Amino acid sequence: MTHPARPWNFSAGPAALAPEVLAQAQRELLDWRGTGVSVMEVSHRGRDFMAMAEETEQDLRALMGIPDSYTVLFLQGGATQHFAQLAMNLAGPEDRADYVVTGHWSQKAVQEAMPYVNARVAASTEADGFRSVPTQFEVDPQAAYLHFTPNETIHGTEFHHLPESGDVPLVADMSSDILSRPLDVSKFGMIYAGAQKNIGPSGLVLLIVRDDLLRRPGRPMADIFRYARHAERDSMLNTPNTWGWYLAGLTFQWIAAQGGLEAIGARNQAKADALYAAIDGSGGFYTNTIDPTARSRMNVPFRLHDEALDATFLQASAEAGLMALKGHRALGGMRASIYNAMPMQGVQALIDFMGDFARRHG
Ligand SMILES: Cc1ncc(COP(=O)(O)O)c(C=O)c1O
């Protein structure tokens, strides 16, 4: 379903939501579940909201196949707050933790954790300009956890394999790739994700934490920072982001209606393959210099052969109904974020535009 006046939105985040989700939210805005008011105007402790929250968690568990030994939390603070908070919860003050650094966000994750844990960079691809992901490295067997960022939103790299961490629990910031393909949750100690790419609006963070990690003593801290306290209160220790939680629920239903993560994963692979093929086949007009074995299926950065054409490209693409293609300010160039809500039709519109632009300016 596409509204004719809506552009194809390639924003990295907050990113496009499925039009079906937005339309349902619009329909329910003035009267949610027969309450006569919106979901934002009812108590989170009331029967209707509690039922919606429970359904949303069950839908997510079914989609991702989350084992019973994991707790699902719907919290706040953005992924950034949890860079620090996860270190407070999963490690004691004397503990060590290992980090894999593959770009902007994993670098930030290690920096923010440093006040709370002896964080060590176990592997980094900084030397190659963050164009790859490490395949082999040594993990400290005593580390409280190994943190990595499966998809680097800005640099456009993605792990296509899981880092080997032995008995050390894997902790993954999946802000920009959660729900983009099937995943074996049992391989992880903890998964967390800011909602604003594949889940819903910003201001909501999803956490999936293995119960033994939840029981770790961490360090002395206020209840509001302690994951176990949030778990005891079903993510309602304080007033949750009710609107975000509701939209996440609609998005989970939408993913199920698309055929679940198998179907979504196949679609995402086909979209990424088509876009990279267009870039690689442009005779050097467009380039993506990421190691082909580590290219992101969600965020596709690319450059024009002549930077002087960037402004013209951005203006012409916007006029053609292709929105938010400007690359991150740290890297320049272009970036097309093609999360779940971007259909192949939108990617094809971009590919057609790029081909046409290259013919006119080549
Ligand atoms: C992989 C990744 N981690 C963390 C963040 C930071 O998220 P937030 O702004 O919600 O703190 C982002 C950006 O949205 C991201 O792409």
Side-chain angles (χ1 to χ4, degrees):
M1 185 183 72
T2 316
H3 193 285
R6 303 192 87 224
W8 296 115
N9 181 2
F10 295 93
S11 173
L17 292 172
E20 292 88 344
V21 166
L22 293 174
Q24 184 171 345
Q26 184 184 45
R27 281 196 304 276
E28 296 180 343
L29 193 60
L30 295 183
D31 181 9
W32 177 64
R33 294 194 174 188
T35 55
V37 295
S38 79
V39 67
M40 288 178 281
E41 302 165 286
V42 297
S43 168
H44 54 293
R45 303 194 193 285
R47 198 191 48 190
D48 294 307
F49 191 87
M50 297 281 272
M52 186 282 294
E54 178 59 22
E55 284 160 30
T56 297
E57 177 175 336
Q58 292 315 324
D59 287 349
L60 179 72
R61 284 184 176 277
L63 268 183
M64 293 185 73
I66 300 173
D68 290 345
S69 51
Y70 287 71
T71 293
V72 176
L73 299 173
F74 291 84
L75 303 184
Q76 302 177 57
T80 306
Q81 182 176 307
H82 293 274
F83 291 161
Q85 207 173 327
L86 73 87
M88 295 163 73
N89 278 270
L90 305 186
E94 306 304 325
D95 284 345
R96 303 196 294 265
D98 272 359
Y99 280 75
V100 183
V101 174
T102 48
H104 176 93
W105 291 113
S106 41
Q107 212 158 35
K108 198 123 188 215
V110 67
Q111 278 160 7
E112 292 292 299
M114 274 177 181
Y116 305 104
V117 67
N118 298 306
R120 178 184 80 118
V121 176
S124 167
T125 52
E126 189 168 9
D128 81 355
F130 296 127
R131 290 193 167 85
S132 61
V133 299
T135 44
Q136 278 186 330
F137 51 90
E138 297 281 309
V139 179
D140 173 358
Q142 301 302 317
Y145 56 84
L146 174 72
H147 183 282
F148 79 119
T149 307
N151 187 78
E152 280 283 358
T153 321
I154 295 174
H155 287 88
T157 54
E158 184 179 352
F159 279 81
H160 294 250
H161 61 279
L162 284 186
E164 262 308 320
S165 64
D167 291 333
V168 175
L170 263 186
V171 173
D173 170 9
M174 299 196 76
S175 294
S176 52
D177 62 332
I178 192 145
L179 296 166
S180 67
R181 61 180 190 284
L183 189 74
D184 183 353
V185 175
S186 72
K187 297 264 194 294
F188 294 81
M190 171 173 152
I191 293 166
Y192 66 109
Q196 62 267 26
K197 290 108 163 50
N198 267 340
I199 299 174
S202 60
L204 177 78
V205 185
L206 178 70
L207 287 86
I208 303 167
V209 195
R210 211 172 64 203
D211 289 343
D212 60 302
L213 299 192
L214 205 58
R215 286 191 291 270
R216 284 187 176 175
R219 58 170 51 236
M221 66 183 118
D223 274 2
I224 195 69
F225 296 125
R226 195 176 285 286
Y227 293 153
R229 290 291 290 142
H230 285 283
E232 281 160 25
R233 303 292 295 276
D234 297 324
S235 306
M236 296 192 196
L237 187 57
N238 66 330
T239 315
N241 175 348
T242 54
W243 174 243
W245 202 328
Y246 158 77
L247 280 172
L250 296 188
T251 300
F252 301 159
Q253 288 169 13
W254 176 81
I255 294 174
Q258 304 303 300
L261 294 185
E262 285 285 345
I264 284 277
R267 198 169 88 170
N268 285 334
Q269 187 68 54
K271 281 153 49 185
D273 287 348
L275 186 49
Y276 285 115
I279 293 168
D280 295 342
S282 69
F285 192 92
Y286 303 107
T287 49
N288 167 286
T289 55
I290 302 300
D291 172 352
T293 63
R295 281 175 161 178
S296 169
R297 287 167 279 211
M298 296 283 100
N299 309 98
V300 181
F302 61 93
R303 290 184 174 282
L304 275 61
H305 74 101
D306 179 3
E307 243 177 69
L309 286 172
D310 283 5
T312 316
F313 180 93
L314 285 169
Q315 192 184 335
S317 57
E319 283 164 12
L322 306 166
M323 179 185 150
L325 285 166
K326 194 173 188 337
H328 189 273
R329 60 191 178 283
L331 295 188
M334 308 297 152
R335 173 175 50 169
S337 295
I338 49 174
Y339 302 116
N340 289 349
M342 173 62 65
M344 182 55 118
Q345 204 189 343
V347 174
Q348 193 55 54
L350 172 61
I351 292 170
D352 292 346
F353 170 82
M354 287 168 69
D356 189 48
F357 187 87
R359 275 188 292 280
R360 280 189 282 125
H361 297 274

